[in-house]
Amino acid sequence: MKKFNIRKVLDGLTAASSSSSAAAASLQSGNRENDLIQETLQSEHFQLCKTVRHGFPYQPSSMAFDPVQKILAIGTQSGALRLFGRAGVECFCQHESGSAVIQLEFLVNEGALVSALADDSIHLWNLRQKLPAILHSLKFNRERITFCHLPFQSKWLYVGTERGNIHIVNVESFTLSGYVIMWNKAIELSSKTHPGPVVHISDNPMDEGKLLIGFECGIVVLWDLKSKKADYRYSYDEAIHSVAWHHEGKQFVCSHSDGTLTTWNIRAPAKPAQIITPHGKQPKDGKKPEPCKPILKVEYKTTRAGDPFMILCGGLSYDTVGRRPCLTVMHGKSTAVLEMDYPIVDFLTLCETPYPNDFQEPYAVVVLLEKDLVLIDLAQIGYPIFENPYPLSIHESPVTCCEYFADCPAEVIPALYSEGSRQKRQGFSKKEWPISGGNWGQGTLSFSEMIITGHADGSIKFWDASALMLQVLYKLKTAKVFEKPRSKEEKSSTEIVDEDPFAIQILSWCPESRVLCVAGVSAHVIVYRFSKQEVTTEVVQLLEVRMQCELNEVESPECGGEQASAVSTPGTSSSPQTSLPQSHPSSSSNNSSDGLRDNVPCLKVRSSPLKQSPGYQVELLIQLVWVSGEPPQQITSLTVNSAYGLVAFGSGNGLAVVDYLQKTLLVNVSNAELYGSTDPHHRQPHSPRKTRQPSAGLCDGNDASATPEERCKSPTSDARDNSFSRSRSSSVASIDRESREVISSFYFCDWLSKKSETVAVPSLWVGTSLGSMLAIALTVPSTPEQRMQQPVGVSFCGPVVRLKGGILRMAQLDASGILLPHVYESWYEPNAPEEEREQPRRHRLTSPPSSQENPDCQYAVVCSEKQAKVVALPSQNCVYEHNITETSFVLRADVVTMTTGVAIACFCANGHIMTLSLPSLRPLLDVNYLPLTDMRIARTFCFSNQGQALYLTSPTEIQRITYSQETYDNLQEMLGELFTPVETPEAPNRGFFKGLFGGGAQSLDREDLFGEVAAGKASRSLAQHIPGPGGMEGMKGAASGVVGELARARIALDERGQKLGELEERTAAMMASADSFSKHAHDIMLKCKDKKWYQL
């Protein structure tokens, strides 16, 4: 377990913190009583470490399978190792060098794995511990590694090199043998030129003393290990890519660069026994078929009861332009071509036996693609695929935003799973997933966890993340609400993004009410309600919002009047663009006389009826429209509240509040109008950008083509208009900020806005990118009947507090320092008849009454990019302040609940993860964890309750971490075990006649050939040995727990019994020999008894 060198911050001593605090505990006069709040969180409650990684291995490069343990290993181009067992058993390891993994070889049923890297190093991994570790490493200095082969139940690893030589490594000690097969000895006079790198090594299944060596040029050599010379040489005029044996060891098959397969009899090296081109067109005149693409790999597997399987990838004809990559399965006279969605990296055939000299009985093929893992069932007609139990579809469409919910209501996960199970594809193989090794962890967390991911195609996925596992629960497609253009030519001119117009930018979810609100890159917001009943929506409820530029730069008399009514008469309802239901207006009818687009949304809404299955169903669609030729600004912040029935969203132009129950627009104001006469900023008219906005900033596909300003757009980091990619000095930041104020965050709550108030009233707190926190008071009708008939009142309370940097997060504490949960309404069935519908239960915590000694009974917690403040309410006095960072800026901040208290968790652009106590803002944790290497991390990093956090570490993988000491202490119990004690299957029976006449597999004592006594020592300059924590003996003793102890005892007992059996057999043989000798001696004595000495 890699434990970070955490600088624990002494409680109360802030001088040691890297983020200096000018006023870490600046108490205002008259508020000394706040010292009475007892804080339970201390530094020892925090510890940072990685827990588990989910998703598809990014840029895979190699693969291996242990047929006894049934564990799959995948290596990547960045030096990562992912190990998979049964569903829920996964493990991630990383080579320190970061070089690509070119080959993996299991020590079958030994709990060990050998990896070969592109930097010419090989490593031995111990898989008998929950977090695998490297035991030995060997770094080649003078030769490049190209191919490795480890025979079954052997401790000698063959290593082929680019020079054509083969070296032999003892995997127990990781030392080189002095036995070397030189390329010139192998080919001798069969070729006048260098044969090229070694591309294949394998021993004859029936004779371990014969080694088959394939060179790139097309030469194959059968090498006799004992006599140290070549028995046969096979030559073909096309380059070789792979070689496969028939299990009887009399034939082998080579795949070539011209799309041909050559079959050779080992005793007939003159010419191939057969040459076929599986995908070549056979000319009628008997000429050679036209060359095809290279066959990159071939496997030859036999069955006891039928024809053998020949499985290959590549080899398609060159005229199949645009055809998807294929895997070809040849079985008898039938040939099946299985198309894949992505290029094939590697494939392996899973067989019933681990012994190469027995009938293989293949039952499945594992196909590793560039972005997927597919298992094909060979035993069923049509070769169906197995249903994949791993969460490998995170990247099905690029992830654009992510939210993490720990300690969510327990009933939400079963509800989503119930509806999501209907979305599963059909036609999978009916057999169990064959990669079934390992055991689940014993320990579990006591709370439910969920992850929600938004994607570039407009889809949203809900994941069950409980107990360190990940399982998709439900998938929602938001693009169904819109009309899809059939081609690029039909794309509307009103769209403001070039690619992925439906991409999800921000998510807001209320777990208790199950209300979901999403904002897309095309300036649209969709509100969803969860229902267990299917409905058909004839017309999607649509609300169009016209957001003006700052300081009335764009004249629009109609909008101006409506806007005035929306903001000047709080307590009344005004809906500037609220004709319901309405269809999408056409561009022609809304264009002004000078041809400017006006009152036109970016996307066209679906006109046909929308069938909505049980699950999430559209409640309301909100679209920002073009204003006098200017496109709408992208939405920068979003929140939904089920207790009030309101949605608030903001952009660079201002903010809007929508009543999604009455489908009306309550507030639509510019940023300047939020302040009224108290505006502290000197503003200049500023036009929105006129260019089309690429959405490459959301996805990872086109980062190179986007400008730095566009790449830095971060849907889930609340300061969304800042360029994170350039150096952020304070002066650059201030210039960037003053040019445009953006609404960066929201928070719905009940608060006391005035000292004279005794009851907390609904309100909306607004945070801006210039560091202002403002409040808007709301008057929400109390009963459900009034709520649907009377409008929600609105009044502006002005600024509450101001901080350095953009506001990222706001929260509320009660008088005792306990976090007040957000107000919410419990879920009810929205499509139930009125008489059957349960009355919605609104959950709203009331603050304790204030006393005369301390009139403040609430605290507002506000965190910005630079600092955090705690403000007493209703006096609005700042009681605590802490400068989080001076040289960097905070990317993500969350107010989180731990087992023993509440804290602020922050992730800074310089890679530091910090936690601060509440309400005193004492630094508790400060770890330099992860430097900001790309915007994916900034966009997806999120904290959650109970010390959990996550981020997208690659376009296809989610990395989960914990900052809780409690979780860290229990992590070993929670992780699954890869290695489980399993008996190796018995070797195939040689049979009576094969044993009598010397047939069957020939064993080889490799120690006599490759050991130091026989072969000598290898050159020290050839490779450098880097020892690990222990040798193979230590590895075998590394299995932990009672199961491991029992397994070792059983193995030792078996070994002892085997040795005793062997001793008994030897004793019996000696006794039989002694009896025979005695008998012969007696016969001779009788024969010579009566003879004289001269007759003998």
Side-chain angles (χ1 to χ4, degrees), residues 634-843:
Q634 287 190 349
I635 293 165
T636 56
S637 55
L638 173 75
T639 189
V640 64
N641 186 275
S642 59
Y644 308 148
L646 301 179
V647 171
F649 56 92
S651 70
N653 284 343
L655 73 87
V657 180
V658 171
D659 183 341
Y660 69 78
L661 297 177
Q662 295 187 19
K663 315 294 191 293
T664 56
L665 178 64
L666 296 177
V667 176
N668 181 8
V669 295
S670 68
N671 296 330
E673 290 173 302
L674 271 175
Y675 296 91
S677 59
T678 62
D679 188 358
H681 312 297
H682 178 68
R683 299 172 189 272
Q684 297 295 328
H686 191 92
S687 296
R689 53 185 177 273
K690 300 181 181 181
T691 57
R692 294 167 68 86
Q693 305 160 11
S695 62
L698 294 177
C699 317
D700 300 298
N702 300 326
D703 281 357
S705 62
T707 64
E709 187 71 29
E710 290 161 347
R711 275 203 304 272
C712 75
K713 298 285 184 273
S714 173
T716 55
S717 73
D718 290 301
R720 289 179 175 82
D721 256 343
N722 304 322
S723 178
F724 298 156
S725 57
R726 59 175 181 257
S727 173
R728 285 294 301 265
S729 66
S730 58
S731 59
V732 172
S734 61
I735 294 170
D736 187 30
R737 295 315 188 88
E738 291 300 334
S739 63
R740 169 68 62 90
E741 185 172 28
V742 174
I743 304 299
S744 58
S745 59
F746 290 112
Y747 186 69
F748 278 109
C749 64
D750 291 354
W751 80 313
L752 297 169
S753 59
K754 300 175 184 177
K755 294 182 180 180
S756 58
E757 291 180 344
T758 57
V759 179
V761 298
S763 66
L764 172 64
W765 294 351
V766 182
T768 75
S769 59
L770 293 183
S772 295
M773 173 192 159
L774 307 101
I776 300 174
L778 306 168
T779 306
V780 182
S782 56
T783 66
E785 293 76 16
Q786 293 174 335
R787 179 65 185 84
M788 296 305 296
Q789 296 170 3
Q790 299 178 11
V792 176
V794 178
S795 61
F796 293 83
C797 304
V800 177
V801 67
R802 181 166 169 79
L803 286 75
K804 300 175 186 175
I807 304 293
L808 299 180
R809 192 67 61 207
M810 296 171 285
Q812 194 179 27
L813 307 179
D814 66 10
S816 58
I818 297 173
L819 179 68
L820 288 173
H822 66 279
V823 290
Y824 64 88
E825 186 178 79
S826 296
W827 177 81
Y828 63 91
E829 175 55 63
N831 294 323
E834 289 290 338
E835 60 274 9
E836 298 178 12
R837 185 178 300 179
E838 295 181 18
Q839 288 296 321
R841 298 182 303 279
R842 183 170 299 173
H843 295 259

Side-chain angles (χ1 to χ4, degrees), residues 14-28:
T14 59
S17 173
S18 65
S19 54
S20 62
S21 174
S26 63
L27 292 167
Q28 300 292 331

